[in-house]
Amino acid sequence: MSSKEKPTLGGTRIKTRKRNIAAPLDPAAFADAVVQIYLDNAGDLELVAKSIESCDLNFSRYGDTFFEVVFTGGRTQPGTVKPDEGERHPYSVIECEPRREVILPSVIYVQKILRRKPFLIKNLENVMRRVLQCLELFEENERKKLAIFTALAFSQKLSGLPPETVFEPLLKDNLVGKGLVLSFITDFFKEYLVDNSLDDLISVLKRGKMEDNLLEFFPSAKRTPEAFFEHFTKAELLPLVEYHEKKIFEVKLKEMKSAVTTQIAEEADISEVIETVKQQVKDAKLPDIEVVGILWDVLMDAVQWSGKNQQQNANSALRQVKAWAQLLNTFCTSGKLELELIYKVQVQCYEDAKLMKLFPEIIRSLYDQDVLAEDTILHWFRKGTNPKGRQALVKSLEPFVKWLEEAEEEE
């Protein structure tokens, strides 16, 4: 036999593998079959769920079509939410009454289906995204039903439904500009907060990356704190209004801190820094107590704590206090604010071991620079209310307080 010839077995038949021939898509037939299940069970979702569990329909292939039937009662035209030809049923989400007790069974029904067929979660996302992107094609009453369903879906922790599936499709310019998104999200907030706390809502917004961007739900001409306050106060969502005001306040404080930090790092003239702070306080209406606390934090953050020993670090901190005493003095304009500054020093020294022994020196330096008055120091020593490290710090300040009291007696 030639080395090039291949051996063969006599009498064998070589079989060729048949190719898998994909059946053509037929979503219309699938939709009609699901609609018939609804009709056969007269819309009883418990019975519908059992029938769906036992049927042999190809849900893995027609998952999107299934949820079209759930939301709209039948199949929709490709890429839209407009009804397509075929059978329909009257038990869909947009056909029921816009009340939570009526819509909740649909949410629980979808939850049951997803538990039995978890692969359908992606199809639910697809259809919800399409539905929300087409809000303008629904009537106002239908949009309200969709908002209630969505809120209940999150409230019931519908299996694996991510918040970005809801929030991202809403932010289409045309929907936002027409006020449809604001109306939808207001209904969503109101419904969700019936059974959940504001913290729960904030958690949902965080996961949907909307926690700091609530104004994006407003038409561009109305994206102001005033419009936010007016709209959600009228909607009786005061906890949300208070939360938003707090967020704005925190942003303004952060901006002021950043501006002052930059100027100190660049060794700007102290008069320029004072003017910057005054302007920030005026524009943002920042309370004096918050300003004093931020100024102290900024000054201490700017200290070079890289000394070879504790004394070098102490000297750096004291030089910083002396250099910027005028800044502190400008905004510590009352005994209450001076006391707040002492509390800031107290807490920092308590939380930072390298500063614990430095407390009396800092207080003495602030006194020498006329930032702290004698009466304020004595009040803190005798009646201070912040317990953090108080016992040890009071003891460390005793020699200075004794000197103050003796000086007072001599006068």
Side-chain angles (χ1 to χ4, degrees):
M1 179 184 293
S2 169
S3 60
K4 292 183 180 180
E5 294 180 12
K6 293 183 179 178
T8 59
L9 292 174
T12 61
R13 181 180 296 172
I14 300 174
K15 294 183 179 180
T16 57
R17 181 178 296 173
K18 293 181 180 179
R19 295 180 182 178
N20 292 325
I21 302 174
L25 287 172
D26 191 4
F30 176 88
D32 289 346
V34 175
V35 168
Q36 193 59 50
I37 291 175
Y38 274 86
L39 296 174
D40 290 345
N41 293 283
D44 186 323
L45 295 179
E46 287 275 351
L47 297 177
V48 172
K50 289 180 181 177
S51 297
I52 284 176
E53 183 182 11
S54 60
C55 74
D56 59 357
L57 294 174
N58 192 345
F59 285 87
S60 61
R61 201 171 194 197
Y62 302 111
D64 282 17
T65 303
F66 170 70
F67 284 110
E68 290 171 8
V69 174
V70 171
F71 280 101
T72 69
R75 186 179 170 219
T76 64
Q77 295 177 19
T80 74
V81 291
K82 295 179 180 179
D84 203 350
E85 296 178 356
E87 298 293 327
R88 310 195 77 76
H89 70 85
Y91 311 108
S92 66
V93 173
I94 64 169
E95 290 292 339
C96 64
E97 295 179 52
R99 293 185 291 120
R100 71 190 331 262
E101 59 269 24
V102 178
I103 295 176
L104 182 58
S106 292
V107 177
I108 295 172
Y109 159 71
V110 171
Q111 183 76 288
K112 286 180 180 177
I113 299 297
L114 290 177
R115 283 174 183 162
R116 291 162 187 158
K117 304 179 189 296
F119 59 87
L120 286 175
I121 186 62
K122 281 296 178 187
N123 301 108
L124 174 61
E125 289 181 39
N126 294 340
V127 175
M128 284 199 71
R129 184 178 292 273
R130 195 192 321 151
V131 164
L132 296 176
Q133 286 178 331
C134 298
L135 278 182
E136 60 192 326
L137 300 180
F138 293 99
E139 300 293 333
E140 181 180 352
N141 210 28
E142 293 172 339
R143 291 194 292 269
K144 184 178 180 67
K145 297 169 192 176
L146 292 171
I148 294 173
F149 178 92
T150 307
L152 290 173
F154 285 121
S155 185
Q156 295 292 316
K157 296 179 173 58
L158 197 63
S159 300
L161 184 64
E164 55 267 30
T165 297
V166 172
F167 299 132
E168 286 180 9
L170 288 174
L171 298 179
K172 289 178 65 177
D173 290 342
N174 64 317
L175 297 179
V176 174
K178 293 176 181 178
L180 301 180
V181 173
L182 182 57
S183 177
F184 177 92
I185 209 69
T186 301
D187 289 332
F188 172 87
F189 288 159
K190 291 177 76 171
E191 190 59 46
Y192 186 82
L193 289 171
V194 170
D195 292 327
N196 301 276
S197 68
L198 181 65
D199 287 342
D200 293 329
L201 176 59
I202 300 309
S203 177
V204 171
L205 291 170
K206 250 184 201 176
R207 286 184 284 128
K209 300 177 182 178
M210 290 303 301
E211 177 200 13
D212 299 323
N213 304 306
L214 294 179
L215 284 176
E216 289 187 23
F217 293 129
F218 284 72
S220 57
K222 295 183 178 180
R223 285 178 191 169
T224 64
E226 294 75 19
F228 189 99
F229 176 88
E230 181 181 350
H231 176 81
F232 285 113
T233 298
K234 188 175 180 180
E236 299 182 351
L237 290 170
L238 290 179
L240 186 65
V241 172
E242 293 169 359
Y243 164 80
H244 191 251
E245 288 182 334
K246 183 180 177 183
K247 289 293 292 185
I248 292 175
F249 177 72
E250 289 173 352
V251 169
K252 289 178 178 177
L253 285 181
K254 189 175 180 180
E255 288 174 351
M256 190 191 83
K257 185 173 183 178
S258 176
V260 175
T261 298
T262 299
Q263 286 187 309
I264 289 178
E266 294 174 350
E267 299 181 352
D269 188 85
I270 196 167
S271 60
E272 292 180 22
V273 179
I274 290 173
E275 190 56 38
T276 295
V277 177
K278 284 183 176 180
Q279 192 62 45
Q280 292 272 355
V281 169
K282 180 181 177 181
D283 293 344
K285 299 178 182 178
L286 300 175
D288 295 336
I289 283 183
E290 296 288 347
V291 173
V292 168
I294 285 178
L295 292 179
W296 178 257
D297 288 340
V298 170
L299 292 179
M300 288 298 100
D301 288 345
V303 173
Q304 299 296 320
W305 300 106
S306 55
K308 294 181 181 179
N309 54 53
Q310 187 172 345
Q311 188 56 49
Q312 286 184 350
N313 286 329
N315 292 339
S316 296
L318 293 175
R319 278 197 301 271
Q320 186 79 330
V321 170
K322 186 175 181 180
W324 294 96
Q326 185 184 345
L327 176 63
L328 294 170
N329 203 11
T330 301
F331 296 96
C332 285
T333 54
S334 68
K336 181 181 179 181
L337 296 174
E338 291 176 19
L339 189 60
E340 179 65 22
L341 178 58
I342 297 180
Y343 284 141
K344 285 292 295 184
V345 178
Q346 173 189 345
V347 171
Q348 185 173 17
C349 290
Y350 168 73
E351 293 177 347
D352 193 337
K354 66 178 174 286
L355 295 178
M356 197 69 175
K357 293 181 180 180
L358 194 57
F359 179 75
E361 294 183 64
I362 293 176
I363 298 299
R364 176 65 183 260
S365 180
L366 290 169
Y367 171 78
D368 290 340
Q369 303 300 323
D370 293 327
V371 177
L372 296 178
E374 176 183 332
D375 290 345
T376 306
I377 297 171
L378 293 176
H379 177 85
W380 176 88
F381 184 81
R382 296 164 183 164
K383 300 179 181 179
T385 56
N386 193 318
K388 291 187 175 181
R390 176 170 172 77
Q391 189 173 356
L393 295 176
V394 164
K395 188 170 184 62
S396 70
L397 198 62
E398 279 180 353
F400 178 56
V401 169
K402 185 177 180 181
W403 177 83
L404 285 177
E405 290 172 336
E406 288 175 352
E408 188 176 11
E409 288 174 4
E410 289 178 4
E411 291 179 2

